[in-house]
């Protein structure tokens, strides 16, 4: 199995934990992600250097005008896609095996958690993981310390209030907040 096949496994939503080849390859890329995030997090880098390191981490180029304030953490790294003019603030944690897609102009606040895996609820299968992607639309603003769980799509221009836990899709042009996140209001156009 190679990285392409592993990503297909995750992106198909296949269970992780039944095939040791999948687990070992996932752990290999997790160790690689640890090395790169240690480099990102342990010394100062100019913005261009951070974009280069982040591109190395995700295995593809980041979009134009990418911004990152370290520290940043991920436990896989290779299933993140970042559009143009995306900013990721300090202390974010991305669990990206299921896929994280951040579209143009999105702003990710301090301490945001994006979690694309769940453990099985059956105690006898608790070690198994179930991946599903997170999609963050254009010009979305995710407030500080928000958590977005697997399988969630955030529509364009939406705002996620600080501290929210988002476990369901969010309609475009809306503000949501709370635990679990609920609709607060529509965003009016200028």
């Amino acid at each position: 199995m190679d990285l392409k096949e592993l990503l297909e496994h995750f992106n198909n939503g296949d269970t992780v934990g039944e095939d040791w080849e999948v687990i070992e390859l996932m752990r290999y890329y997790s160790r690689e992600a640890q090395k790169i995030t240690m480099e990102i997090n342990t010394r100062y880098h100019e913005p261009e250097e951070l974009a280069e390191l982040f591109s190395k981490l995700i295995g593809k180029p980041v979009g134009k005008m990418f911004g990152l304030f370290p520290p940043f953490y991920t436990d896989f790294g290779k299933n993140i896609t970042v559009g143009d003019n995306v900013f990721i603030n300090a202390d974010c944690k991305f669990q990206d095996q299921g896929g994280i897609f951040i579209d143009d102009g999105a702003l990710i606040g301090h301490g945001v958690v994006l979690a694309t895996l769940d453990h099985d609820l059956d105690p006898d299968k608790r070690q198994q993981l179930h991946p599903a992607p997170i999609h963050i639309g254009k010009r979305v603003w995710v407030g500080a310390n928000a958590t977005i769980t697997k399988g969630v799509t955030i529509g364009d221009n939406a705002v996620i209030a600080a501290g929210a836990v988002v476990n369901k899709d969010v309609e475009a042009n809306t503000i949501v907040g709370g635990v679990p996140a609920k609709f607060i209001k529509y965003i009016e156009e200028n």
Side-chain angles (χ1 to χ4, degrees):
M1 176 175 277
D2 61 14
L3 178 58
K4 181 181 176 190
E5 293 168 318
L6 179 62
L7 289 172
E8 286 174 7
H9 185 89
F10 291 140
N11 295 335
N12 289 335
D14 295 337
T15 299
V16 178
E18 299 170 334
D19 183 337
W20 276 104
E21 185 179 11
V22 170
I23 293 168
E24 286 304 312
L25 194 57
M26 184 175 72
R27 288 178 178 169
Y28 169 83
Y29 284 106
S30 294
R31 289 188 299 275
E32 181 179 282
Q34 289 171 5
K35 291 175 190 175
I36 297 169
T37 56
M38 285 296 292
E39 173 65 19
I40 289 170
N41 295 337
T42 57
R43 69 179 187 88
Y44 176 78
H45 298 280
E46 292 295 329
E48 301 79 20
E49 293 175 295
L50 285 172
E52 186 177 309
L53 284 165
F54 204 87
S55 292
K56 181 179 177 184
L57 174 67
I58 67 174
K60 57 189 150 250
V62 295
K64 298 174 195 157
M65 302 300 295
F66 171 78
L68 172 69
F69 282 1
F72 173 81
Y73 305 95
T74 184
D75 60 357
F76 183 66
K78 298 300 186 212
N79 211 1
I80 301 170
T81 301
V82 178
D84 292 338
N85 201 29
V86 167
F87 177 71
I88 300 170
N89 218 323
D91 204 29
C92 289
K93 298 163 186 74
F94 289 11
Q95 180 193 52
D96 65 290
Q97 288 88 341
I100 294 174
F101 304 90
I102 304 174
D103 214 332
D104 299 344
L107 304 172
I108 310 298
H110 288 90
V112 167
V113 174
L114 304 179
T116 66
L117 291 175
D118 273 342
H119 289 274
D120 203 284
L121 292 177
D122 180 345
D124 292 332
K125 299 179 181 178
R126 190 65 41 92
Q127 295 297 322
Q128 293 181 3
L129 301 168
H130 304 285
I134 292 172
H135 294 268
I136 297 176
K138 292 179 178 160
R139 297 169 306 278
V140 168
W141 173 20
V142 181
N145 295 310
T147 298
I148 300 173
T149 63
K150 75 173 195 155
V152 169
T153 296
I154 310 295
D156 294 347
N157 306 314
V159 175
I160 310 303
V165 175
V166 183
N167 61 2
K168 293 182 180 160
D169 290 353
V170 174
E171 188 178 340
N173 301 303
T174 62
I175 300 172
V176 301
V179 179
K182 296 190 182 340
F183 171 83
I184 294 174
K185 70 178 190 175
Y186 287 100
I187 298 171
E188 296 180 26
E189 294 185 36
N190 293 332

